Every structure is written in C-alpha cells, then in structure tokens.
Amino acid sequence: MTATTAERSTPTRRPRRTWVGVLIGVLLVALSGASLLIGASESVSLDAVAAGDEDALFLLAASRFPRTLALVLVGAALAIAGLIMQMLVRNKFVEPSTTGVTEFGSLGMLAALVFFPGMPIPLRMVLVSLFALLGTWVFLRIIRFVPVRSLVLVPLVGIMLGGVVGAVTTFFAYRLDLLQALGTWSQGSFATVMRGRYELLWLAGAMVIIAWIAADRFSVIGLGEEFATNLGLNYRHVVAIGMVLIAVITSAVLVTAGMLPFLGLVVPNIVSLIIGDNVRRAIPWVAGLGAVFVLGCDIVARVVRFPYEIPLSVVVGVIGAALFLWLLLRKGSRVH
C-alpha cells in the first residue's frame, strides 16, 4: 500500500521539481549574463564584445567576469554552509551569521590586523578559518546545554553569542583605531573584486564538492547522534568535517568579500519546501539557488543608485530578513 502511494505521488512531484530546476538554471545563466554587462563603464556591451573592442574585452576579463564568478561561488558556498550547519544543529533557522561563526571570523580578522598587519591574504584566511572553527565549536558546545530544542531558541542563542563576540571585536577595534579597517574588510561588497583578488573562493567551491561527497553522512547525523551511531556512523568525525567545511567557507567569503547575512538560512529552507531534506539531492538545488540569489541581489545593488553601488550586504540583509520572517510566519508553519 505504501509503495503504491509512493508510485502515485512521485510522478506528480517530479515534473514540478524538474521545472523548478530548469528555472534555476535559466535564471543562473540570465543573471550571469546581465552581471557581465551591468556596470559604471558603458564600454562593455554585446556590440563592443562582438566587435572585439580591446577596452571592452580587457574590462570583461579583468573585472566583470571575475566578479560574476565570485558571486556564483559565494552564493553557492554560503548556501551550502548554511545547509550543513542546519544538519549539524538539527535546526532549520541557523547559519554562520546567526550562530556567531561570522563574528568569530571577524575577531580573527582583527587579530590579523593587530598582530600580523603584513600577513599575506592566504595566511590571513587560515587564521580567520581557525577563529571560525573555534566559533562553530563554541556554539555546538553551548547548545548542548539548551534545555529546550526550540526552532527559535537555538538561533537566538547563536545571535546572542555573535552579539557578545561582535561587541568585543568592535570595542578592541575602536580602542586600537582599527574600526575603519575592520569595517572595510567585513562589509559585504564585490566592488573591488577583480582578477587576482577572488581566487581564494575556489577553496569555498572545493568545500561544496566535499559536502556533496559526504552528503549522505550529513543526512544521517541530521537525524540525531543516537540514530547515526546505531547505523555505525562515526558521529564526531562527521561533525568535525562539517565544522571544517563551514569554517573554510566562512573565512574565504569573509576575507574576499565580507559578510552576507541570512543567505545560508533562507536558501536551504526554500529548497527544503520544494524537494525535502535529502542532503545529496538538495545540494545542487541549494548551490544553484544560492548563486541566483546573490547574483540577483548584486544586480539590484548596482542599478538602484547607478552608477554608484549599494553594499551587497545591505540588499542581501533586507531581502533575506524578509524571507526569514516569511518562513517564520507562513501559513501552516509550526514554530514552537
């Protein structure tokens, strides 16, 4: 009876999933093309590129293409980081920016500015990764003592932790006259991304591939430590892998482009509403939708005050917060 029901329901679900997947792919291609053509310089156009204009081709290769590729990598990687975090914590409303991980990364950035001001960017990313890893570990340890695993209480604890760490970071940055320098690094903007300044994001892309390889394990630990252990899975080992993936993605994005709040929260939840919670099946959808979301927000940030740009973090924060509220208040939700 169960098999018959599944067979009847599968054909009705697959067409919808297929069309949504096609829509995500079409939007990704369309928004990528628009991102290549939108900018303060009007020398880049389809006619100029087709005619082989040297200035247009140089600007396209040195700035527009790296920026678009960086946006895709950041959107996909941060969305996957949010998905992994939700599996580790077993809570749909967490991601690096709501668990203190991003704030710990900013503290690592401040430590690099204070103690190692001339540190190369790759080594700075390693230091930020260590702080982000520490932040992930601290959050996971704290929520073990949360008496009620409420959907809202867990991210509230993370926001409080991030607020404390962020306040400490701001205090020392102010006392050391580094507040402006830290703000420049942490502000989410792709205006300065160009060839030679985005390559660290390939590490974040590599983390997405590793997450896809370990997807089945993340699905199992999302069912709880006892269940995963009974299936013979090394729970702590998989959690450690997830923590490293989150830390590397967060640090690579923070060092390259800054903070982008709510992205890793809303994208996995929207995908979950469409196809469910199977991590392996969801990863391509989450990565694609995350890239589409960031590309769309970046285009809005560039055209609202053209030829000036609004920081991408502002647009992502506003739209992400609105989607977060919709997820909390939508009809039929059960948040308690």
Side-chain angles (χ1 to χ4, degrees), residues 111-124 185:
L113 292 174
V114 173
F115 299 107
F116 312 102
M119 177 180 287
I121 297 298
L123 293 180
R124 185 171 296 180
W185 275 104

Side-chain angles (χ1 to χ4, degrees), residues 66-323:
R67 177 172 183 157
T68 300
L69 186 56
L71 288 166
V72 172
L73 289 173
V74 166
L78 279 182
I80 295 299
L83 176 64
I84 296 173
M85 178 67 79
Q86 291 169 15
M87 290 295 104
L88 295 183
V89 183
R90 300 173 63 194
N91 189 291
K92 287 290 185 181
F93 295 130
V94 297
E95 61 125 14
S97 68
T98 62
T99 56
V101 177
T102 302
E103 285 76 11
F104 269 92
S106 297
L107 182 60
M109 182 68 70
L110 178 62
L113 292 174
V114 173
F115 299 107
F116 312 102
M119 177 180 287
I121 297 298
L123 293 180
R124 185 171 296 180
M125 177 189 158
V126 173
L127 181 61
V128 174
S129 296
L130 293 176
F131 273 81
L133 186 63
L134 174 64
T136 307
W137 180 81
V138 170
F139 176 72
L140 292 177
R141 294 297 299 177
I142 289 177
I143 63 170
R144 284 179 172 266
F145 301 98
V146 175
V148 181
R149 283 299 185 94
S150 168
L151 286 178
V152 177
L153 182 60
V154 172
L156 181 61
V157 171
I159 292 172
M160 293 173 62
L161 174 64
V164 171
V165 177
V168 171
T169 303
T170 302
F171 171 77
F172 283 106
Y174 174 76
R175 293 296 300 270
L176 297 171
D177 198 23
L178 291 172
L179 196 58
Q180 184 175 359
L182 183 64
T184 301
W185 275 104
S186 61
Q187 185 182 53
S189 176
F190 285 74
T192 60
V193 172
M194 58 185 63
R195 186 170 55 195
R197 298 194 59 179
Y198 79 99
E199 284 75 9
L200 284 176
L201 292 176
W202 286 112
L203 288 176
M207 296 303 103
V208 173
I209 297 176
I210 295 175
W212 184 77
I213 294 173
D216 294 333
R217 291 174 174 83
F218 289 128
S219 294
V220 173
I221 66 170
L223 299 174
E225 181 176 359
E226 183 178 353
F227 186 86
T229 303
N230 289 337
L231 290 180
L233 192 66
N234 190 328
Y235 181 83
R236 293 186 178 181
H237 179 69
V238 178
V239 170
I241 293 175
M243 290 170 59
V244 171
L245 294 179
I246 293 169
V248 173
I249 290 174
T250 302
S251 61
V253 174
L254 182 62
V255 170
T256 304
M259 301 180 185
L260 296 179
F262 296 113
L263 171 62
L265 190 154
V266 298
V267 172
N269 275 280
I270 292 174
V271 172
S272 178
L273 292 175
I274 300 173
I275 67 171
D277 296 326
N278 186 297
V279 178
R280 179 171 298 280
R281 188 173 57 189
I283 280 181
W285 291 63
V286 171
L289 186 58
V292 168
F293 183 77
V294 173
L295 281 169
C297 290
D298 184 66
I299 291 174
V300 172
R302 281 192 270 180
V303 301
V304 167
R305 294 189 60 196
F306 188 85
Y308 305 102
E309 290 189 25
I310 299 175
L312 178 60
S313 58
V314 174
V315 180
V316 172
V318 170
I319 298 177
L323 290 173

